[in-house]
PDB file of all heavy atoms in Angstrom:
ATOM      1  N   GLY G 171      -3.482   3.529   5.129  1.00  0.00           N
ATOM      2  CA  GLY G 171      -3.658   4.994   5.182  1.00  0.00           C
ATOM      3  C   GLY G 171      -2.956   5.747   6.222  1.00  0.00           C
ATOM      4  O   GLY G 171      -3.256   6.914   6.452  1.00  0.00           O
ATOM      5  N   TYR G 172      -2.172   4.971   6.975  1.00  0.00           N
ATOM      6  CA  TYR G 172      -1.386   5.696   8.063  1.00  0.00           C
ATOM      7  C   TYR G 172       0.157   5.526   7.982  1.00  0.00           C
ATOM      8  O   TYR G 172       0.563   4.509   7.439  1.00  0.00           O
ATOM      9  CB  TYR G 172      -1.833   5.053   9.443  1.00  0.00           C
ATOM     10  CG  TYR G 172      -3.182   5.442   9.920  1.00  0.00           C
ATOM     11  CD1 TYR G 172      -4.212   4.507   9.742  1.00  0.00           C
ATOM     12  CD2 TYR G 172      -3.483   6.625  10.446  1.00  0.00           C
ATOM     13  CE1 TYR G 172      -5.540   4.835  10.104  1.00  0.00           C
ATOM     14  CE2 TYR G 172      -4.696   6.968  10.882  1.00  0.00           C
ATOM     15  CZ  TYR G 172      -5.790   6.005  10.764  1.00  0.00           C
ATOM     16  OH  TYR G 172      -7.102   6.310  11.092  1.00  0.00           O
ATOM     17  N   SER G 173       0.839   6.476   8.417  1.00  0.00           N
ATOM     18  CA  SER G 173       2.331   6.430   8.524  1.00  0.00           C
ATOM     19  C   SER G 173       2.682   6.727   9.898  1.00  0.00           C
ATOM     20  O   SER G 173       2.147   7.774  10.478  1.00  0.00           O
ATOM     21  CB  SER G 173       3.044   7.259   7.530  1.00  0.00           C
ATOM     22  OG  SER G 173       2.969   6.758   6.258  1.00  0.00           O
ATOM     23  N   MET G 174       3.631   6.085  10.554  1.00  0.00           N
ATOM     24  CA  MET G 174       4.266   6.473  11.908  1.00  0.00           C
ATOM     25  C   MET G 174       5.662   6.765  11.730  1.00  0.00           C
ATOM     26  O   MET G 174       6.421   6.019  11.070  1.00  0.00           O
ATOM     27  CB  MET G 174       4.017   5.259  12.796  1.00  0.00           C
ATOM     28  CG  MET G 174       4.393   5.615  14.288  1.00  0.00           C
ATOM     29  SD  MET G 174       3.712   4.352  15.366  1.00  0.00           S
ATOM     30  CE  MET G 174       4.109   5.067  16.955  1.00  0.00           C
ATOM     31  N   VAL G 175       6.110   7.893  12.314  1.00  0.00           N
ATOM     32  CA  VAL G 175       7.485   8.311  12.213  1.00  0.00           C
ATOM     33  C   VAL G 175       7.899   8.288  13.689  1.00  0.00           C
ATOM     34  O   VAL G 175       7.288   9.002  14.573  1.00  0.00           O
ATOM     35  CB  VAL G 175       7.658   9.699  11.569  1.00  0.00           C
ATOM     36  CG1 VAL G 175       9.187  10.010  11.528  1.00  0.00           C
ATOM     37  CG2 VAL G 175       7.134   9.607  10.148  1.00  0.00           C
ATOM     38  N   TYR G 176       8.995   7.623  13.989  1.00  0.00           N
ATOM     39  CA  TYR G 176       9.561   7.739  15.291  1.00  0.00           C
ATOM     40  C   TYR G 176      11.008   8.062  15.285  1.00  0.00           C
ATOM     41  O   TYR G 176      11.827   7.730  14.415  1.00  0.00           O
ATOM     42  CB  TYR G 176       9.248   6.348  16.114  1.00  0.00           C
ATOM     43  CG  TYR G 176       9.788   5.194  15.480  1.00  0.00           C
ATOM     44  CD1 TYR G 176      11.052   4.645  15.866  1.00  0.00           C
ATOM     45  CD2 TYR G 176       9.206   4.507  14.515  1.00  0.00           C
ATOM     46  CE1 TYR G 176      11.646   3.548  15.338  1.00  0.00           C
ATOM     47  CE2 TYR G 176       9.780   3.319  13.954  1.00  0.00           C
ATOM     48  CZ  TYR G 176      10.888   2.834  14.408  1.00  0.00           C
ATOM     49  OH  TYR G 176      11.391   1.713  13.792  1.00  0.00           O
ATOM     50  N   ASN G 177      11.485   8.543  16.439  1.00  0.00           N
ATOM     51  CA  ASN G 177      12.959   8.903  16.593  1.00  0.00           C
ATOM     52  C   ASN G 177      13.680   7.732  17.293  1.00  0.00           C
ATOM     53  O   ASN G 177      13.602   7.672  18.540  1.00  0.00           O
ATOM     54  CB  ASN G 177      13.068  10.179  17.448  1.00  0.00           C
ATOM     55  CG  ASN G 177      14.380  10.831  17.263  1.00  0.00           C
ATOM     56  OD1 ASN G 177      15.188  10.398  16.620  1.00  0.00           O
ATOM     57  ND2 ASN G 177      14.634  11.737  18.067  1.00  0.00           N
ATOM     58  N   ALA G 178      14.194   6.840  16.452  1.00  0.00           N
ATOM     59  CA  ALA G 178      14.866   5.747  17.129  1.00  0.00           C
ATOM     60  C   ALA G 178      16.011   6.049  17.981  1.00  0.00           C
ATOM     61  O   ALA G 178      16.866   6.873  17.706  1.00  0.00           O
ATOM     62  CB  ALA G 178      15.417   4.858  15.977  1.00  0.00           C
ATOM     63  N   GLY G 179      16.020   5.473  19.243  1.00  0.00           N
ATOM     64  CA  GLY G 179      17.022   5.817  20.241  1.00  0.00           C
ATOM     65  C   GLY G 179      16.709   7.041  21.036  1.00  0.00           C
ATOM     66  O   GLY G 179      17.477   7.506  21.886  1.00  0.00           O
ATOM     67  N   ALA G 180      15.484   7.564  20.783  1.00  0.00           N
ATOM     68  CA  ALA G 180      14.982   8.747  21.489  1.00  0.00           C
ATOM     69  C   ALA G 180      13.462   8.579  21.892  1.00  0.00           C
ATOM     70  O   ALA G 180      13.127   7.457  21.900  1.00  0.00           O
ATOM     71  CB  ALA G 180      15.246  10.056  20.735  1.00  0.00           C
ATOM     72  N   THR G 181      12.766   9.597  22.112  1.00  0.00           N
ATOM     73  CA  THR G 181      11.358   9.404  22.582  1.00  0.00           C
ATOM     74  C   THR G 181      10.322  10.003  21.786  1.00  0.00           C
ATOM     75  O   THR G 181       9.123   9.821  22.144  1.00  0.00           O
ATOM     76  CB  THR G 181      11.361  10.087  24.065  1.00  0.00           C
ATOM     77  OG1 THR G 181      11.691  11.472  23.944  1.00  0.00           O
ATOM     78  CG2 THR G 181      12.318   9.352  25.020  1.00  0.00           C
ATOM     79  N   GLY G 182      10.633  10.649  20.765  1.00  0.00           N
ATOM     80  CA  GLY G 182       9.508  11.317  19.957  1.00  0.00           C
ATOM     81  C   GLY G 182       8.916  10.379  18.756  1.00  0.00           C
ATOM     82  O   GLY G 182       9.651   9.597  18.298  1.00  0.00           O
ATOM     83  N   TYR G 183       7.653  10.675  18.538  1.00  0.00           N
ATOM     84  CA  TYR G 183       6.914  10.009  17.510  1.00  0.00           C
ATOM     85  C   TYR G 183       5.837  10.771  17.091  1.00  0.00           C
ATOM     86  O   TYR G 183       5.290  11.696  17.666  1.00  0.00           O
ATOM     87  CB  TYR G 183       6.513   8.600  17.862  1.00  0.00           C
ATOM     88  CG  TYR G 183       5.329   8.623  18.971  1.00  0.00           C
ATOM     89  CD1 TYR G 183       4.078   8.520  18.559  1.00  0.00           C
ATOM     90  CD2 TYR G 183       5.682   8.665  20.395  1.00  0.00           C
ATOM     91  CE1 TYR G 183       3.034   8.531  19.545  1.00  0.00           C
ATOM     92  CE2 TYR G 183       4.640   8.705  21.268  1.00  0.00           C
ATOM     93  CZ  TYR G 183       3.314   8.629  20.896  1.00  0.00           C
ATOM     94  OH  TYR G 183       2.363   8.524  21.854  1.00  0.00           O
ATOM     95  N   MET G 184       5.270  10.414  15.817  1.00  0.00           N
ATOM     96  CA  MET G 184       4.060  11.145  15.280  1.00  0.00           C
ATOM     97  C   MET G 184       3.410  10.083  14.332  1.00  0.00           C
ATOM     98  O   MET G 184       3.997   9.273  13.777  1.00  0.00           O
ATOM     99  CB  MET G 184       4.355  12.396  14.598  1.00  0.00           C
ATOM    100  CG  MET G 184       5.070  12.244  13.245  1.00  0.00           C
ATOM    101  SD  MET G 184       5.137  13.764  12.281  1.00  0.00           S
ATOM    102  CE  MET G 184       6.284  14.697  13.268  1.00  0.00           C
ATOM    103  N   ILE G 185       2.055  10.218  14.269  1.00  0.00           N
ATOM    104  CA  ILE G 185       1.243   9.380  13.320  1.00  0.00           C
ATOM    105  C   ILE G 185       0.424  10.343  12.455  1.00  0.00           C
ATOM    106  O   ILE G 185      -0.140  11.339  12.916  1.00  0.00           O
ATOM    107  CB  ILE G 185       0.322   8.522  14.065  1.00  0.00           C
ATOM    108  CG1 ILE G 185       0.980   7.563  15.023  1.00  0.00           C
ATOM    109  CG2 ILE G 185      -0.647   7.680  13.075  1.00  0.00           C
ATOM    110  CD1 ILE G 185       0.127   6.652  15.891  1.00  0.00           C
ATOM    111  N   ILE G 186       0.608  10.082  11.165  1.00  0.00           N
ATOM    112  CA  ILE G 186      -0.138  10.945  10.206  1.00  0.00           C
ATOM    113  C   ILE G 186      -0.979  10.153   9.263  1.00  0.00           C
ATOM    114  O   ILE G 186      -0.800   9.008   8.991  1.00  0.00           O
ATOM    115  CB  ILE G 186       0.895  11.773   9.261  1.00  0.00           C
ATOM    116  CG1 ILE G 186       1.741  10.887   8.414  1.00  0.00           C
ATOM    117  CG2 ILE G 186       1.951  12.597  10.195  1.00  0.00           C
ATOM    118  CD1 ILE G 186       2.513  11.478   7.389  1.00  0.00           C
ATOM    119  N   ASP G 187      -1.954  10.795   8.608  1.00  0.00           N
ATOM    120  CA  ASP G 187      -2.669  10.215   7.475  1.00  0.00           C
ATOM    121  C   ASP G 187      -2.352  11.138   6.287  1.00  0.00           C
ATOM    122  O   ASP G 187      -1.409  12.002   6.382  1.00  0.00           O
ATOM    123  CB  ASP G 187      -4.131  10.128   7.677  1.00  0.00           C
ATOM    124  CG  ASP G 187      -4.860  11.395   7.987  1.00  0.00           C
ATOM    125  OD1 ASP G 187      -4.275  12.502   7.824  1.00  0.00           O
ATOM    126  OD2 ASP G 187      -6.066  11.382   8.349  1.00  0.00           O
ATOM    127  N   ARG G 188      -3.109  11.014   5.184  1.00  0.00           N
ATOM    128  CA  ARG G 188      -2.852  11.922   4.040  1.00  0.00           C
ATOM    129  C   ARG G 188      -2.887  13.431   4.353  1.00  0.00           C
ATOM    130  O   ARG G 188      -2.022  14.197   3.889  1.00  0.00           O
ATOM    131  CB  ARG G 188      -3.883  11.569   2.998  1.00  0.00           C
ATOM    132  CG  ARG G 188      -3.220  10.983   1.686  1.00  0.00           C
ATOM    133  CD  ARG G 188      -4.228  10.873   0.698  1.00  0.00           C
ATOM    134  NE  ARG G 188      -4.205   9.605   0.110  1.00  0.00           N
ATOM    135  CZ  ARG G 188      -4.761   9.158  -1.085  1.00  0.00           C
ATOM    136  NH1 ARG G 188      -5.556  10.091  -1.652  1.00  0.00           N
ATOM    137  NH2 ARG G 188      -4.674   8.008  -1.473  1.00  0.00           N
TER     138      ARG G 188
END
Side-chain angles (χ1 to χ4, degrees):
Y172 290 100
S173 286
M174 188 167 188
V175 181
Y176 59 93
N177 196 5
T181 59
Y183 68 95
M184 71 171 71
I185 299 173
I186 67 170
D187 62 8
R188 242 184 229 196

